[in-house]
Amino acid sequence: DIQMTQSPSTLSASVGDRVTITCRASQNIDNWVAWYQQKPGKAPKVLIYKASSLEGGVPSRFGGSGSGTEFTLTISSLQPDDFATYYCQQYKSYPLTFGGGTKVEIK
Amino acid sequence: EVQLVESGGDLVQPGGSLRLSCAASGFTFSDHYMDWVRQAPGKGLEWVGRSRNKGNSYTTEYAASVKGRFTVSRDASKTSLYLQMNSLETDDTAVYYCTRGHGDYNWYSDLWGRGTLVTVSS
């Protein structure tokens, strides 16, 4: 199975900060990575697919990059609505696997 | 409206069975892969299983933790996805999400239902 190691597990930031979350795959997954945002009590919502493609309707302050084994999700200017937990997922091979999550908290 | 609505979650004893349903609407159900993803209380996301689309004969894939116990199926005429869960264990306690796959070569989840809670306890 492909392991997705996400870091940090918790991140404290202020409104307006630039935030970067990293996901490392245990083997090459090309660019088959998606990023999801989840708020408490709600279903996840996709932000980024194929490592860097922005899902329709997602604000442009969200960006993704990387290929192979190293991937990042960047929020260019953190907004109050962005405080949530973020997950990466590889969808290159079965079983599909998620990172452990990064909770973005208010500093 | 494009949506997925799960149902069937309940309290069940260890060793018991349960069938979850996911009603899909607003899109061509047969064109899409469909997944089940679960989340144990206070934990992260875990992919459970997949039904490929009609073009791929609705074939299925499973996580090792549920293979042989869970079965993903669909009723195309009712545009519904199902998860039959047998030999349930306490570790199966989770919110179960139905998701729609999007892609052409590899598929990610672009639409999620609200989830249904399964509790396995004596």
Side-chain angles (χ1 to χ4, degrees), chain A residues 32 34 36 38 42-46 49-50 55 87 89 91-92 94-96 98 100, chain B residues 33 35 37 39 43-47 50 52 61 97 105-110 112-113:
Chain A
W32 300 110
Y36 301 89
Q38 186 179 33
K42 301 293 187 182
K45 166 191 167 184
V46 66
Y49 64 96
K50 214 179 277 188
E55 182 75 5
Y87 295 93
Q89 181 202 35
Y91 56 103
K92 177 179 171 66
Y94 298 105
L96 308 189
F98 291 89
Chain B
Y33 286 28
D35 288 354
V37 176
Q39 187 170 37
K43 302 297 184 183
L45 301 170
E46 180 186 17
W47 176 80
R50 165 169 285 182
R52 294 184 179 86
E61 298 284 348
Y97 295 102
Y105 185 70
N106 289 323
W107 296 66
Y108 67 97
S109 296
D110 75 332
W112 295 61

Side-chain angles (χ1 to χ4, degrees), chain A residues 24-98:
Chain A
R24 179 177 290 112
S26 60
Q27 58 188 271
N28 176 37
I29 55 171
D30 300 316
N31 61 350
W32 300 110
V33 164
W35 290 92
Y36 301 89
Q37 176 193 65
Q38 186 179 33
K39 297 180 180 179
K42 301 293 187 182
K45 166 191 167 184
V46 66
L47 303 174
I48 301 287
Y49 64 96
K50 214 179 277 188
S52 60
S53 296
L54 193 67
E55 182 75 5
V58 174
S60 58
R61 63 181 180 272
F62 291 94
S65 64
S67 66
T69 61
E70 296 277 339
F71 302 89
T72 58
L73 173 71
T74 300
I75 309 173
S76 60
S77 177
L78 197 66
Q79 298 302 301
D81 191 47
D82 301 337
F83 291 96
T85 299
Y86 294 84
Y87 295 93
C88 60
Q89 181 202 35
Q90 69 80 19
Y91 56 103
K92 177 179 171 66
S93 66
Y94 298 105
L96 308 189
T97 47
F98 291 89

Side-chain angles (χ1 to χ4, degrees), chain B residues 6-10 18-21 116-118:
Chain B
E6 302 95 336
S7 60
D10 204 347
L18 201 61
R19 189 177 88 151
L20 306 183
S21 299
T116 188
L117 176 63
V118 173

Side-chain angles (χ1 to χ4, degrees), chain B residues 7-61:
Chain B
S7 60
D10 204 347
L11 170 64
V12 61
Q13 291 189 339
S17 298
L18 201 61
R19 189 177 88 151
L20 306 183
S21 299
C22 169
S25 59
F27 62 96
T28 305
F29 185 65
S30 60
D31 284 350
H32 290 265
Y33 286 28
M34 299 293 296
D35 288 354
W36 288 97
V37 176
R38 69 184 180 183
Q39 187 170 37
K43 302 297 184 183
L45 301 170
E46 180 186 17
W47 176 80
V48 172
R50 165 169 285 182
S51 168
R52 294 184 179 86
N53 58 11
K54 183 178 181 180
N56 288 281
S57 304
Y58 299 132
T59 53
T60 55
E61 298 284 348

